[in-house]
Amino acid sequence: MAVMQAVGTDMTLDQIRDTINGLIQQGNTATHQIGTLYNHVVDRKLAELAGHANAQVYFSKNVKALSQSTLTVYGTVARNFPEAICTHFGVYTLRALLRYVEATGIDLDRGNPGPMLIDVPRDDGTVVNKAFAECSVDEVERATKAKKTPAPVRVPVPDQARLLFFEDSLFRNFNGVAPVRLSSRSLDGKTLLSVQDVPVSEVARLLKALQEGMSAEPTLAAK
């Protein structure tokens, strides 16, 4: 509380430096206070006013026990959560929660994030809803990664079979003639087919190859 009150006064840059270096000795219980002081220096541009390039340069020279990335994490968490929440959950778990909120767009409960539900992916591919209070940092980070990387859209099995027939037909007809390429993708539930690098002089050959691919028996599709 003393640090929070001091931030509202005219602490000098060097006083803040000394306070942070002292707080570091207290371990994890002081991370919110350190973050608050760091934010104060950044917001008020105290380092620049004192003749330094910026706060990052100043702290890199004067607070050697903490890296810039660590100070940034402390500052980010201090901006978003009260000290009691920071002490209870820890800064890195809360930083992981902020990333999850950013990826999903869900509302952040800054005063009581514990009950917030996280979609945690399991090793078997299933997803379980867990309260944030029950999640590890790794689980929250994996949940965020899963939200940022949507599941791939799979080509239906019947279309997979037909694509194989097309590939085989194109290879047989263009082997030694032209390096024709076949590609496909799914869009709005439809499988789209692209054939590339067909010489204009070989369009008739292409039509023949496609017709053979269409006429092939879809034995794979029946499996």
Side-chain angles (χ1 to χ4, degrees), residues 4 12 18 41 47 56 85-86 104 111 154 158 175 184 200 205 209:
M4 297 299 294
T12 67
D18 293 340
V41 172
Q56 291 73 25
I85 295 297
C86 182
T104 59
R154 300 187 181 279
N175 186 28
S184 63
V200 172
R205 187 186 298 270

Side-chain angles (χ1 to χ4, degrees), residues 53-94:
N54 52 49
Q56 291 73 25
V57 171
Y58 175 80
F59 282 116
S60 68
K61 295 179 180 178
N62 293 277
V63 182
K64 296 184 180 298
L66 297 177
S67 67
Q68 179 56 53
S69 61
T70 298
L71 286 170
T72 300
V73 171
Y74 288 5
T76 300
V77 173
R79 286 190 191 280
N80 287 277
F81 300 98
E83 185 172 1
I85 295 297
C86 182
T87 301
H88 179 73
F89 289 102
V91 289
Y92 287 99
T93 308
L94 291 171

Side-chain angles (χ1 to χ4, degrees), residues 165-178 180 202 204-213:
F165 296 141
F166 282 138
E167 289 178 355
D168 179 67
S169 179
L170 287 169
F171 175 79
R172 286 187 286 100
N173 281 274
F174 283 92
N175 186 28
V177 176
V180 175
E202 301 295 341
R205 187 186 298 270
L206 171 63
L207 295 176
K208 175 175 178 291
L210 292 176
Q211 184 59 50
E212 290 178 0

Side-chain angles (χ1 to χ4, degrees), residues 149-157 159-160 163 184-192:
T149 309
V153 179
R154 300 187 181 279
V155 175
V157 172
D159 288 349
Q160 291 181 37
L163 289 172
S184 63
R185 64 190 180 98
S186 293
L187 180 65
D188 297 332
K190 296 180 179 180
T191 302
L192 305 182

Side-chain angles (χ1 to χ4, degrees), residues 79-142:
R79 286 190 191 280
N80 287 277
F81 300 98
E83 185 172 1
I85 295 297
C86 182
T87 301
H88 179 73
F89 289 102
V91 289
Y92 287 99
T93 308
L94 291 171
R95 181 66 184 96
L97 176 61
L98 289 173
R99 291 194 179 107
Y100 182 79
V101 168
E102 181 180 357
T104 59
I106 63 174
D107 293 331
L108 173 64
D109 188 341
R110 291 176 168 82
N112 185 28
M116 293 180 63
L117 293 178
I118 308 296
D119 295 331
V120 180
R122 292 172 168 172
D123 292 337
D124 62 2
T126 60
V127 175
V128 60
N129 293 116
K130 292 184 65 174
F132 170 66
E134 300 174 357
C135 293
S136 65
V137 175
D138 177 68
E139 287 177 323
V140 180
E141 289 179 343
R142 285 193 288 113

Side-chain angles (χ1 to χ4, degrees), residues 7-20:
V7 168
T9 67
D10 294 327
M11 287 182 72
T12 67
L13 182 62
D14 288 344
Q15 286 175 329
I16 292 176
R17 173 203 63 198
D18 293 340
T19 302
I20 288 178

